């Protein structure tokens, strides 16, 4: 129950206790492996599941084992497990989707697309296959098709406007006011904000609704007529809404027409001066590094975006260069290691 409730740490404790009391219970072991994967211990999960995979054809056991191998970047082994499963169940949509993500991790994106397409042919509403197909197509530069498939994603509206206004279909109605609702992570918001400039070129008045922490930064960009925290702008009489990440599809963006004027983000002048005062005179190359994102995002197709600070050890040993920590919130405890003293400057308190 804890596992299905999104509490993998608690589930791991319960399942480990159950394994201690009844060793070898297949259902318990399978769930324990999944819990370990979800808390970031795929190596231990693979060690626990490995002895049973060769003697038991259980589907969930093999799916979880392949996932553990994938998270350990043992991609060839993960492929083998999933292909064996598909030999007996060629239309297993979860196995097809998982194999697609393994192939994509291995750089075999075209083969991955085939897997996702097969999964969707059997289960058209399978969200995981749809999302992964969109991401794979976009990585291949197939923007029109990729952004089209991406329209099937789940959308959460923090502003509440989607329940009050009609959704924009891409047509320009004179006098309309378009409320664009930012979604997903900060990186997505910053990357897709560039399409606000295309709205202005088409004479469309637009308001970007975004996370409060990004209002000042994106407000300085002048990509939209107005930038507000979610739901903080008057609606108006002739108004409609659109998700920020749908603008590329609605505007018909291709790789050739992708808006490219950069930079479109600008730092606040007082903050620039504050950083300059803290940094002091420049004596050589300066390199800013960040090593960790939100640990809760390190799953599925978002894996591998964080590394330990120790991964930069050889870089930080370069003489004559100055290294600045740009890390925020997560992973700051790694700075306590004395080996980084004198090699990595960190503003304290954060600027």
């Amino acid at each position: 129950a804890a596992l299905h409730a999104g509490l993998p740490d608690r589930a791991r404790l319960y399942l480990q206790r159950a394994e201690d009391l009844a060793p070898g219970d297949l259902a318990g072991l399978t769930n324990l492996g999944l819990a370990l994967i979800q808390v970031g211990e795929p190596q231990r999960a693979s060690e626990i599941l490995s002895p049973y995979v060769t003697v038991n054809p259980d589907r969930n056991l093999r799916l979880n084992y392949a996932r553990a191998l994938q998270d350990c970047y043992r991609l060839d082994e993960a492929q083998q497990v999933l292909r064996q499963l598909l030999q007996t169940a060629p239309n297993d949509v979860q196995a097809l989707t998982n194999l697609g993500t393994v192939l994509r991790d291995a750089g075999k994106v075209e083969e991955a697309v085939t897997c996702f397409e097969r999964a969707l042919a059997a289960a058209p509403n399978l969200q995981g296959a749809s999302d992964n197909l969109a991401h794979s197509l976009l990585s291949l530069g197939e923007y029109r098709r990729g952004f089209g498939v991406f329209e099937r994603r789940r959308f959460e509206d923090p502003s509440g406007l989607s329940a009050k206004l009609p959704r924009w279909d891409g047509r320009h109605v004179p006098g309309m006011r378009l409320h664009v609702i930012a979604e997903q992570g900060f990186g997505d918001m910053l990357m897709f904000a560039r399409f606000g400039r295309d709205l202005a070129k088409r004479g469309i008045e637009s308001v970007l609704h975004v996370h409060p922490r990004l209002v000042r930064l994106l407000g300085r960009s002048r990509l939209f007529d107005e930038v507000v925290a979610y739901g903080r702008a008057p609606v108006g009489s002739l108004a409609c809404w659109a998700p920020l990440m749908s603008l590329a599809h609605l505007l018909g963006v291709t790789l050739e027409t992708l808006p490219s004027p950069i930079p479109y983000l600008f730092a606040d002048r007082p903050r620039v001066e504050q950083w300059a005062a803290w940094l002091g005179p420049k004596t050589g190359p300066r390199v800013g590094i960040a090593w960790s994102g939100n640990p809760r995002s390190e799953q599925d197709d978002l894996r591998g975006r964080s590394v330990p600070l120790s991964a930069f050890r050889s870089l930080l040993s370069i003489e004559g260069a100055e290294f600045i920590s740009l890390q925020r919130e997560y992973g700051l405890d790694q700075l306590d290691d004395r080996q980084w003293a004198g090699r990595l400057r960190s503003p304290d308190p954060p600027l």
Side-chain angles (χ1 to χ4, degrees):
L3 190 59
H4 294 299
L7 302 170
D9 286 295
R10 184 178 299 178
R12 176 184 56 173
L13 295 176
Y14 293 154
L15 291 165
Q16 186 62 67
R17 178 60 175 160
E19 170 62 13
D20 294 339
L21 295 173
D25 176 73
L26 186 61
L29 280 168
T30 301
N31 286 329
L32 176 58
L34 179 58
L36 288 167
I37 291 168
Q38 292 182 352
V39 299
E41 298 184 33
Q43 180 60 40
R44 187 170 169 224
S46 69
E47 293 169 354
I48 289 175
L49 299 178
S50 177
Y52 298 90
V53 170
T54 55
V55 297
N56 195 303
D58 182 79
R59 171 184 179 271
N60 289 332
L61 172 68
R62 290 171 180 266
L63 287 174
N64 289 352
Y65 182 54
R67 169 69 185 279
L69 292 173
Q70 181 180 8
D71 284 7
C72 292
Y73 294 94
R74 294 161 60 183
L75 302 180
D76 289 342
E77 295 171 74
Q79 285 184 54
Q80 183 179 5
V81 172
L82 291 168
R83 291 188 190 281
Q84 288 174 347
L85 180 56
L86 288 166
Q87 285 178 358
T88 57
N91 293 319
D92 187 318
V93 294
Q94 193 60 59
L96 282 167
T97 301
N98 291 4
L99 177 59
T101 65
V102 173
L103 290 167
R104 189 182 61 195
D105 285 356
K108 303 175 182 179
V109 186
E110 291 87 354
E111 293 181 51
V113 166
T114 300
C115 287
F116 300 138
E117 289 174 334
R118 285 179 57 192
L120 287 168
N125 296 321
L126 187 61
Q127 192 69 51
S130 177
D131 290 344
N132 280 294
L133 175 59
H135 297 160
S136 298
L137 290 170
L138 292 172
S139 73
L140 292 171
E142 297 185 31
Y143 278 20
R144 281 195 181 275
R145 186 179 172 211
F147 281 126
V149 175
F150 193 50
E151 287 299 283
R152 305 177 196 173
R153 71 191 180 280
R154 291 192 181 97
F155 173 73
E156 296 181 4
D157 177 13
S159 74
L161 292 176
S162 60
K164 305 173 184 176
L165 300 175
R167 183 163 178 164
W168 187 45
D169 61 5
R171 291 179 294 178
H172 181 203
V173 178
M176 79 175 205
R177 183 175 171 88
L178 177 61
H179 294 262
V180 180
I181 303 171
E183 54 184 309
Q184 300 195 24
F186 282 12
D188 301 298
M189 297 177 192
L190 295 174
M191 180 169 60
F192 278 81
R194 70 179 64 203
F195 297 111
R197 185 168 285 147
D198 278 27
L199 295 175
K201 289 179 180 178
R202 299 186 185 201
I204 299 173
E205 182 184 354
S206 61
V207 181
L208 177 64
H209 295 251
V210 72
H211 192 285
R213 290 173 61 182
L214 294 181
V215 169
R216 286 200 307 166
L217 175 61
L218 287 171
R220 286 192 298 270
S221 71
R222 299 185 179 180
L223 296 167
F224 297 83
D225 294 289
E226 189 176 356
V227 177
V228 299
Y230 290 118
R232 297 295 180 89
V235 172
S237 58
L238 186 59
C240 53
W241 75 279
L244 175 62
M245 297 176 76
S246 289
L247 292 184
H249 172 67
L250 292 166
L251 296 169
V253 170
T254 66
L255 188 59
E256 292 72 30
T257 63
L258 181 69
S260 59
I262 53 174
Y264 57 85
L265 297 175
F266 304 94
D268 182 57
R269 175 56 57 182
R271 298 289 296 277
V272 171
E273 294 172 354
Q274 189 179 8
W275 267 93
W278 178 78
L279 286 168
K282 187 175 181 180
T283 58
R286 277 182 174 146
V287 181
I289 63 172
W291 54 93
S292 179
N294 186 339
R296 294 187 178 183
S297 297
E298 285 289 320
Q299 55 185 334
D300 299 328
D301 59 327
L302 301 181
R303 295 184 314 279
R305 301 194 303 174
S306 299
V307 296
L309 177 56
S310 58
F312 291 93
R313 183 177 289 109
S314 59
L315 177 69
L316 294 173
S317 66
I318 297 175
E319 296 293 335
E322 184 180 8
F323 297 95
I324 312 297
S325 169
L326 302 179
Q327 188 63 40
R328 300 292 299 273
E329 295 187 47
Y330 309 104
L332 292 175
D333 56 306
Q334 298 178 48
L335 287 169
D336 295 336
D337 192 324
R338 296 187 62 182
Q339 68 173 311
W340 311 123
R343 300 167 68 184
L344 181 62
R345 293 182 64 191
S346 179
D348 187 22
L351 296 177

